[in-house]
Structure formats: C-alpha cells, structure tokens
Short mmCIF file of all heavy atoms in Angstrom, two decimals:
data_model
loop_
_atom_site.label_atom_id
_atom_site.label_comp_id
_atom_site.label_asym_id
_atom_site.label_seq_id
_atom_site.Cartn_x
_atom_site.Cartn_y
_atom_site.Cartn_z
N ALA Z 1 -13.41 -1.04 -1.83
CA ALA Z 1 -14.13 -2.04 -1.04
C ALA Z 1 -14.46 -1.54 0.36
O ALA Z 1 -13.75 -0.71 0.93
CB ALA Z 1 -13.31 -3.32 -0.93
N GLU Z 2 -15.56 -2.07 0.91
CA GLU Z 2 -15.81 -1.97 2.33
C GLU Z 2 -15.14 -3.20 2.95
O GLU Z 2 -15.46 -4.33 2.58
CB GLU Z 2 -17.31 -1.98 2.65
CG GLU Z 2 -17.61 -1.92 4.14
CD GLU Z 2 -19.10 -1.97 4.45
OE1 GLU Z 2 -19.92 -1.78 3.52
OE2 GLU Z 2 -19.46 -2.24 5.62
N VAL Z 3 -14.21 -2.98 3.87
CA VAL Z 3 -13.36 -4.06 4.37
C VAL Z 3 -13.58 -4.24 5.87
O VAL Z 3 -13.56 -3.27 6.64
CB VAL Z 3 -11.87 -3.77 4.10
CG1 VAL Z 3 -11.00 -4.93 4.60
CG2 VAL Z 3 -11.63 -3.54 2.61
N SER Z 4 -13.76 -5.50 6.28
CA SER Z 4 -13.79 -5.82 7.70
C SER Z 4 -12.72 -6.87 7.99
O SER Z 4 -12.32 -7.61 7.09
CB SER Z 4 -15.17 -6.34 8.13
OG SER Z 4 -15.43 -7.60 7.53
N ALA Z 5 -12.28 -6.92 9.25
CA ALA Z 5 -11.19 -7.83 9.58
C ALA Z 5 -11.29 -8.34 11.00
O ALA Z 5 -11.64 -7.59 11.92
CB ALA Z 5 -9.84 -7.14 9.37
N ALA Z 6 -10.97 -9.62 11.16
CA ALA Z 6 -10.80 -10.24 12.47
C ALA Z 6 -9.50 -11.03 12.42
O ALA Z 6 -8.97 -11.33 11.34
CB ALA Z 6 -11.98 -11.15 12.81
N ALA Z 7 -8.97 -11.39 13.59
CA ALA Z 7 -7.69 -12.09 13.65
C ALA Z 7 -7.86 -13.57 13.36
O ALA Z 7 -8.86 -14.19 13.73
CB ALA Z 7 -7.07 -11.91 15.03
N SER Z 8 -6.86 -14.15 12.70
CA SER Z 8 -6.88 -15.59 12.46
C SER Z 8 -6.11 -16.34 13.53
O SER Z 8 -6.08 -17.57 13.51
CB SER Z 8 -6.29 -15.92 11.08
OG SER Z 8 -4.95 -15.52 11.00
N ASN Z 9 -5.49 -15.61 14.45
CA ASN Z 9 -4.79 -16.24 15.57
C ASN Z 9 -4.73 -15.24 16.72
O ASN Z 9 -4.36 -14.09 16.51
CB ASN Z 9 -3.37 -16.64 15.15
CG ASN Z 9 -2.69 -17.50 16.20
OD1 ASN Z 9 -2.35 -17.03 17.27
ND2 ASN Z 9 -2.48 -18.76 15.88
N PRO Z 10 -5.09 -15.66 17.94
CA PRO Z 10 -5.15 -14.72 19.06
C PRO Z 10 -3.81 -14.08 19.42
O PRO Z 10 -3.79 -12.98 20.00
CB PRO Z 10 -5.65 -15.59 20.22
CG PRO Z 10 -6.37 -16.72 19.58
CD PRO Z 10 -5.62 -16.99 18.31
N LEU Z 11 -2.69 -14.74 19.09
CA LEU Z 11 -1.38 -14.22 19.49
C LEU Z 11 -0.60 -13.56 18.36
O LEU Z 11 0.51 -13.11 18.58
CB LEU Z 11 -0.54 -15.34 20.10
CG LEU Z 11 -1.00 -15.89 21.46
CD1 LEU Z 11 -0.02 -16.93 21.98
CD2 LEU Z 11 -1.15 -14.76 22.47
N SER Z 12 -1.17 -13.48 17.17
CA SER Z 12 -0.43 -12.84 16.07
C SER Z 12 -0.85 -11.39 15.85
O SER Z 12 -0.24 -10.68 15.04
CB SER Z 12 -0.63 -13.64 14.77
OG SER Z 12 -1.99 -13.65 14.38
N THR Z 13 -1.86 -10.93 16.57
CA THR Z 13 -2.35 -9.56 16.40
C THR Z 13 -1.37 -8.55 16.95
O THR Z 13 -0.82 -8.72 18.05
CB THR Z 13 -3.71 -9.40 17.11
OG1 THR Z 13 -4.65 -10.27 16.50
CG2 THR Z 13 -4.21 -7.96 17.03
N GLN Z 14 -1.14 -7.47 16.20
CA GLN Z 14 -0.35 -6.34 16.69
C GLN Z 14 -1.32 -5.20 16.96
O GLN Z 14 -1.94 -4.65 16.06
CB GLN Z 14 0.71 -5.95 15.65
CG GLN Z 14 1.74 -7.06 15.43
CD GLN Z 14 2.78 -6.72 14.38
OE1 GLN Z 14 2.71 -5.68 13.71
NE2 GLN Z 14 3.75 -7.61 14.20
N ASP Z 15 -1.46 -4.84 18.24
CA ASP Z 15 -2.50 -3.90 18.65
C ASP Z 15 -2.34 -2.52 18.01
O ASP Z 15 -3.33 -1.86 17.72
CB ASP Z 15 -2.52 -3.78 20.18
CG ASP Z 15 -3.07 -5.02 20.85
OD1 ASP Z 15 -4.07 -5.57 20.36
OD2 ASP Z 15 -2.50 -5.46 21.87
N ASP Z 16 -1.10 -2.08 17.80
CA ASP Z 16 -0.92 -0.76 17.19
C ASP Z 16 -1.33 -0.77 15.72
O ASP Z 16 -1.91 0.20 15.21
CB ASP Z 16 0.52 -0.27 17.35
CG ASP Z 16 1.56 -1.30 16.93
OD1 ASP Z 16 1.20 -2.41 16.50
OD2 ASP Z 16 2.76 -0.99 17.05
N VAL Z 17 -1.09 -1.89 15.03
CA VAL Z 17 -1.50 -2.02 13.63
C VAL Z 17 -3.02 -2.06 13.52
O VAL Z 17 -3.61 -1.42 12.63
CB VAL Z 17 -0.86 -3.26 12.99
CG1 VAL Z 17 -1.46 -3.54 11.62
CG2 VAL Z 17 0.65 -3.09 12.89
N VAL Z 18 -3.66 -2.78 14.43
CA VAL Z 18 -5.13 -2.84 14.44
C VAL Z 18 -5.71 -1.45 14.66
O VAL Z 18 -6.69 -1.05 14.00
CB VAL Z 18 -5.62 -3.82 15.53
CG1 VAL Z 18 -7.13 -3.74 15.68
CG2 VAL Z 18 -5.21 -5.25 15.17
N ALA Z 19 -5.13 -0.68 15.57
CA ALA Z 19 -5.59 0.69 15.82
C ALA Z 19 -5.44 1.55 14.57
O ALA Z 19 -6.33 2.35 14.24
CB ALA Z 19 -4.81 1.30 16.99
N ALA Z 20 -4.34 1.35 13.84
CA ALA Z 20 -4.12 2.11 12.61
C ALA Z 20 -5.16 1.75 11.55
O ALA Z 20 -5.65 2.62 10.82
CB ALA Z 20 -2.71 1.86 12.08
N LEU Z 21 -5.49 0.48 11.47
CA LEU Z 21 -6.53 0.07 10.51
C LEU Z 21 -7.87 0.70 10.85
O LEU Z 21 -8.59 1.19 9.97
CB LEU Z 21 -6.65 -1.46 10.51
CG LEU Z 21 -5.53 -2.23 9.82
CD1 LEU Z 21 -5.65 -3.72 10.11
CD2 LEU Z 21 -5.56 -1.97 8.31
N ALA Z 22 -8.20 0.70 12.14
CA ALA Z 22 -9.47 1.31 12.57
C ALA Z 22 -9.49 2.79 12.22
O ALA Z 22 -10.51 3.31 11.74
CB ALA Z 22 -9.66 1.09 14.06
N LYS Z 23 -8.39 3.45 12.47
CA LYS Z 23 -8.30 4.90 12.18
C LYS Z 23 -8.46 5.18 10.69
O LYS Z 23 -8.99 6.23 10.30
CB LYS Z 23 -6.96 5.44 12.68
CG LYS Z 23 -6.80 6.94 12.49
CD LYS Z 23 -5.44 7.41 12.97
CE LYS Z 23 -5.22 8.89 12.66
NZ LYS Z 23 -3.87 9.34 13.06
N ASN Z 24 -8.05 4.23 9.86
CA ASN Z 24 -8.09 4.42 8.41
C ASN Z 24 -9.29 3.77 7.74
O ASN Z 24 -9.28 3.53 6.53
CB ASN Z 24 -6.78 3.92 7.79
CG ASN Z 24 -5.61 4.87 8.03
OD1 ASN Z 24 -5.42 5.83 7.29
ND2 ASN Z 24 -4.86 4.61 9.09
N GLY Z 25 -10.31 3.46 8.53
CA GLY Z 25 -11.60 3.09 7.95
C GLY Z 25 -11.86 1.62 7.73
O GLY Z 25 -12.89 1.26 7.14
N VAL Z 26 -10.96 0.75 8.20
CA VAL Z 26 -11.23 -0.68 8.13
C VAL Z 26 -12.03 -1.08 9.37
O VAL Z 26 -11.69 -0.69 10.49
CB VAL Z 26 -9.92 -1.50 8.06
CG1 VAL Z 26 -10.21 -3.00 8.13
CG2 VAL Z 26 -9.15 -1.17 6.78
N LYS Z 27 -13.08 -1.83 9.19
CA LYS Z 27 -13.87 -2.30 10.33
C LYS Z 27 -13.14 -3.51 10.92
O LYS Z 27 -13.21 -4.62 10.38
CB LYS Z 27 -15.28 -2.67 9.87
CG LYS Z 27 -16.07 -1.45 9.40
CD LYS Z 27 -17.47 -1.81 8.93
CE LYS Z 27 -18.24 -0.55 8.54
NZ LYS Z 27 -19.59 -0.85 8.04
N VAL Z 28 -12.44 -3.27 12.01
CA VAL Z 28 -11.53 -4.29 12.52
C VAL Z 28 -11.84 -4.62 13.98
O VAL Z 28 -12.10 -3.73 14.79
CB VAL Z 28 -10.06 -3.82 12.35
CG1 VAL Z 28 -9.78 -2.52 13.08
CG2 VAL Z 28 -9.08 -4.90 12.75
N TYR Z 29 -11.77 -5.91 14.28
CA TYR Z 29 -12.14 -6.39 15.62
C TYR Z 29 -11.10 -7.42 16.05
O TYR Z 29 -11.16 -8.60 15.67
CB TYR Z 29 -13.53 -7.03 15.58
CG TYR Z 29 -14.56 -6.17 14.86
CD1 TYR Z 29 -14.81 -6.35 13.50
CD2 TYR Z 29 -15.24 -5.15 15.54
CE1 TYR Z 29 -15.73 -5.54 12.83
CE2 TYR Z 29 -16.16 -4.35 14.88
CZ TYR Z 29 -16.39 -4.54 13.53
OH TYR Z 29 -17.30 -3.74 12.87
N ALA Z 30 -10.13 -6.99 16.84
CA ALA Z 30 -9.07 -7.91 17.25
C ALA Z 30 -8.24 -7.29 18.38
O ALA Z 30 -7.97 -6.09 18.37
CB ALA Z 30 -8.15 -8.24 16.08
N ILE Z 31 -7.84 -8.12 19.32
CA ILE Z 31 -6.97 -7.71 20.42
C ILE Z 31 -5.98 -8.84 20.66
O ILE Z 31 -6.36 -10.02 20.71
CB ILE Z 31 -7.78 -7.46 21.71
CG1 ILE Z 31 -8.77 -6.31 21.50
CG2 ILE Z 31 -6.88 -7.14 22.88
CD1 ILE Z 31 -9.80 -6.19 22.60
N ARG Z 32 -4.72 -8.51 20.78
CA ARG Z 32 -3.72 -9.54 21.04
C ARG Z 32 -4.05 -10.28 22.33
O ARG Z 32 -4.31 -9.67 23.36
CB ARG Z 32 -2.32 -8.93 21.12
CG ARG Z 32 -1.22 -9.98 21.30
CD ARG Z 32 0.16 -9.36 21.31
NE ARG Z 32 1.19 -10.37 21.50
CZ ARG Z 32 1.73 -11.11 20.55
NH1 ARG Z 32 1.33 -10.94 19.30
NH2 ARG Z 32 2.67 -12.00 20.82
#
C-alpha cells in the first residue's frame, strides 16, 4: 500500500516514531 498518516490527537503523537515512519516511506504529517 501507499500509506499516509495524520494524528488523531494532538498530544498522543510521539515525534521520534513519526520521524521513523517518514524515514521508512510513510507519508506522515504530525507533531506532538
């Protein structure tokens, strides 16, 4: 799949995990 992701809650995002997703090809848009 081509996968994109945004956060479902502004305070549940883990910034290091989001960075890892971006590095591994997930189109991700989220900041804690």
Side-chain angles (χ1 to χ4, degrees):
E2 178 182 345
V3 181
S4 67
S8 62
N9 190 291
L11 291 184
S12 63
T13 297
Q14 296 178 355
D15 288 318
D16 51 0
V17 170
V18 172
L21 286 170
K23 183 181 175 183
N24 285 275
V26 174
K27 294 180 177 178
V28 60
Y29 312 93
I31 298 168
R32 184 177 179 85

